[in-house]
Amino acid sequence: MQIPRESIAIRQAAERLVDIFGVSELAEDTHIAERSDDGGQWDAVFAAGSLFFGLEWRRSGSVGHVATAIRQLGVLRDSLPQGVIPILAVPYMGEAAQELCAQAELPWLDLSGNARIIAPGIFYQNLGHPNRFRRPGRPESAFGPKGARITRRLLMEPSMPVRQRALAFGTGLDEGHTSRIVGKLLEAGLVERREDGIGVTDAYALLAAWWDEYRFDRHHIIRGHIASRGGDPLIQAISEILSRAEEPYAATALPAAWLWTRYAGFRLSTVYLSAFPSARLKEELGFREEARGANTWLVVPNDEGVFDGAELVDGIRCVHPVQAYIDLKDHPERASEAAEELRRRFFLRGNDAL
């Protein structure tokens, strides 16, 4: 389905609110406004029964566009009379963008049927509807295996702009590929061009956009078991054996989060290897391949970029906190707590890394 033009989309969003709150039609004094040149006007200010809303429309619900809208709405909120509820409307709001709105305490709805509206005296939530505006085919993502090298490198030092040519050199990508990926990030509002290079507009928004598309199972995962008394002794033993065998490796996910933060104990040790483990290496590790009850995942990555920024932490080679955070997405145990702690330690709202 095609996204409707702005004036129609704004009215459809307003009519959705009227329907949500059980009002037969828009009030006669509903004002559907055109955007002023200075951006200082709401797209619609209207009544739905006894409730009053200031509605802002965005043509995309991508993380970057939603993050930009949240920043702009922080200013516009001051222009609303007391009692008027600000609300963001988009064609479809993905999970990561929903989380941004929740953190900003901003009500939202989409034209696909989803909404979360929390305001004094109001709690309305209706989630799970599919994207009605998905385009056929699979568009090239900025976060594919090689494209993610750009995001990873930018997030390692999010407060420091970097020249596009330096990005290409540092990630091992050709300049054409780098230009296409940067173009997609610019289009999504996740980065911007500055005098001194490409800069991250909002580190957490960029991280959330990558998280939204990431799937750990796109790597090759060998699940198995190694006899151990617990997670910490296990990752220590694995590290010692791999180092002694001169096998390139890096711990990620739960053990890496533990080593970086000392938060959220773990049982499952996930380790990247640069190549498929030989039978001899498995024997040295005491690794028995079996999915049920696995406490060890040996992972051959779909791109060597996962090792970018890896370093020794307490004698164990770990991926960069950015990669550890992303890899926690599809992990069990206390992965969500570990991810939140990594985010809290290494990313503030905005461009500053701790």
Side-chain angles (χ1 to χ4, degrees), residues 90-324:
V90 297
Y92 176 75
M93 186 80 75
E95 289 185 15
Q98 290 179 30
E99 177 63 23
L100 290 183
C101 289
Q103 290 181 6
E105 299 182 346
L106 178 66
W108 62 270
L109 63 81
D110 66 30
L111 300 186
S112 296
N114 304 289
R116 191 169 191 268
I117 304 169
I118 301 176
I122 299 171
F123 182 91
Y124 176 86
Q125 182 169 285
N126 187 349
L127 306 175
H129 296 277
N131 186 356
R132 296 173 58 198
F133 303 94
R134 186 184 298 277
R135 295 179 180 177
R138 185 177 177 182
E140 183 187 0
S141 169
F143 306 108
K146 291 194 181 297
R149 295 184 189 185
I150 301 293
T151 293
R152 186 185 297 106
R153 182 56 66 99
L154 290 170
L155 286 172
M156 286 180 187
E157 296 182 286
S159 62
M160 295 182 61
V162 57
R163 298 287 183 189
Q164 190 165 302
R165 179 165 291 180
L167 262 180
F169 179 80
T171 57
L173 298 176
D174 63 65
E175 291 192 32
H177 195 166
T178 301
S179 179
R180 289 195 299 275
I181 297 302
V182 169
K184 289 182 179 299
L185 296 174
L186 287 166
E187 183 181 357
L190 295 165
V191 301
E192 60 188 3
R193 290 195 188 276
R194 302 175 186 168
E195 288 185 6
D196 48 354
I198 304 300
V200 176
T201 55
D202 184 324
Y204 181 60
L206 179 55
L207 190 68
W210 185 13
W211 174 283
D212 205 31
E213 292 195 27
Y214 189 73
R215 283 181 52 186
F216 190 74
D217 62 7
R218 287 176 179 154
H219 303 297
H220 188 94
I221 307 168
I222 307 169
R223 296 170 172 85
H225 189 273
I226 297 175
S228 176
R229 299 188 309 275
D232 200 13
L234 175 58
I235 193 61
Q236 292 280 353
I238 291 172
S239 171
E240 289 172 8
I241 292 168
L242 292 175
S243 297
R244 192 162 56 243
E246 298 184 345
E247 293 282 350
Y249 79 96
T252 190
L254 290 161
W258 165 254
L259 288 160
W260 281 113
T261 68
R262 292 295 169 178
Y263 181 88
F266 65 98
R267 174 180 175 273
L268 175 64
S269 286
T270 303
V271 181
Y272 280 123
L273 301 175
S274 63
F276 285 91
S278 65
R280 180 177 178 180
L281 179 59
K282 289 181 182 179
E283 183 178 353
E284 290 179 7
L285 289 167
F287 180 82
R288 185 175 70 255
E289 191 170 340
E290 58 178 324
R292 179 174 295 183
N295 68 351
T296 306
W297 289 359
L298 303 178
V299 184
V300 182
N302 59 10
D303 183 74
E304 63 185 17
V306 299
F307 294 106
D308 194 5
E311 60 181 271
L312 289 176
V313 182
D314 292 341
I316 298 172
R317 191 170 185 241
C318 294
V319 297
H320 191 276
V322 171
Q323 186 67 48

Side-chain angles (χ1 to χ4, degrees), residues 6 33-43 56 58 72 76:
E6 184 171 323
E34 294 293 330
R35 169 67 59 204
S36 59
D37 291 338
D38 63 3
Q41 185 178 5
W42 291 81
D43 288 324
E56 183 74 6
R58 285 291 186 273
Q72 293 174 347
L76 281 178

